[in-house]
Amino acid sequence: MAEATGPTQSTPTLEKQVTGATIWLTGLPSAGKTTIANELADTLRAEGHRVEVLDGDEIREYLSAGLGFSREDRHTNVQRIGFLAELLARNGVLTLVPVIAPYADSREAVRKRHQVGGTAYLEVHVATPVDVCSVRDVKGLYAKQAAGELSGLTGVDDPYEAPDAPDLRIESHHQTVQESAAALRALLTERGLAA
């Protein structure tokens, strides 16, 4: 008996499941947050991951222009960044967020937004002491504050509420940028967020 022939059906190609996550790097100005995030981003991209770095200065310029540095404005800025990060993460992007986010309640609101959406969220505290940050002074903020040209500098004359129980604490003053990025990369592997 001959087999019936007809149109062949093709099997749909399945895309590899891509897991996104928000990795929020909090810490004082000049702690090394952006440097570590960029180092990790380069590594992850080289491995084929979809990665975005949401730099706090760029967000302030393009998404939060007009906001000041009052507690309320800082909270609004962090919530905007948290919304964008969660949107990217839930669509399969590893989203690195090197943003000070000085207030614990603001960071907790971002974490809850991610929990509600079922999106992975890691909080990383780049725990560089203020005296080390002031020597690094990447943007000259500490010098301006010391000269009386700037007030409201986080960790100096404005509060910084360090995380009590971050997913990872990096002491960047005791290790290289590469070692800090590798520690964070290891956490992503441990949590199943980047094979």
Side-chain angles (χ1 to χ4, degrees), residues 3 11 20 24 49 55-56 63 86 98 100 127 130 134 145 167 172 195:
E3 270 186 48
T11 307
W24 197 293
H49 295 281
D55 180 82
L63 189 64
E86 198 275 334
I100 296 169
V130 70
S134 66
Q145 193 277 335
D167 295 282
S172 70

Side-chain angles (χ1 to χ4, degrees), residues 47-183:
E47 295 171 358
H49 295 281
R50 296 171 62 199
V51 182
E52 286 295 333
V53 177
L54 299 182
D55 180 82
D57 292 334
E58 291 176 1
I59 296 291
R60 272 208 173 263
E61 182 177 352
Y62 297 107
L63 189 64
S64 294
L67 288 180
F69 291 91
S70 67
R71 184 180 179 107
E72 183 179 320
D73 281 357
R74 288 177 192 253
H75 179 78
T76 299
N77 185 50
V78 167
Q79 297 317 298
R80 288 178 183 177
I81 296 169
F83 171 81
L84 180 57
E86 198 275 334
L87 181 67
L88 289 166
R90 87 170 108 108
N91 284 286
V93 179
L94 291 172
T95 309
L96 304 172
V97 185
V99 172
I100 296 169
Y103 300 112
D105 60 343
S106 295
R107 295 191 306 267
E108 185 58 26
V110 171
R111 179 187 294 279
K112 285 182 179 169
R113 172 187 296 282
H114 283 71
Q115 287 173 340
V116 167
T119 307
Y121 177 87
L122 299 175
E123 182 177 73
V124 177
H125 180 205
V126 183
T128 310
V130 70
D131 57 325
V132 175
C133 294
S134 66
V135 170
R136 290 179 181 173
D137 205 8
V138 178
K139 300 173 191 166
L141 299 176
Y142 293 92
K144 287 180 183 176
Q145 193 277 335
E149 299 169 14
L150 176 77
S151 63
L153 181 59
T154 301
V156 177
D157 58 354
D158 209 57
Y160 176 72
E161 299 170 357
D164 291 328
D167 295 282
L168 178 67
R169 195 176 312 276
I170 293 174
E171 295 187 354
S172 70
H173 53 298
H174 292 312
Q175 58 192 35
T176 66
V177 171
Q178 292 76 20
E179 289 168 338
S180 296

Side-chain angles (χ1 to χ4, degrees), residues 37-49 51 178 181-182 185:
N38 286 330
E39 178 74 20
L40 179 59
D42 289 345
T43 300
L44 291 169
R45 287 184 186 115
E47 295 171 358
H49 295 281
V51 182
Q178 292 76 20
R185 179 66 184 82

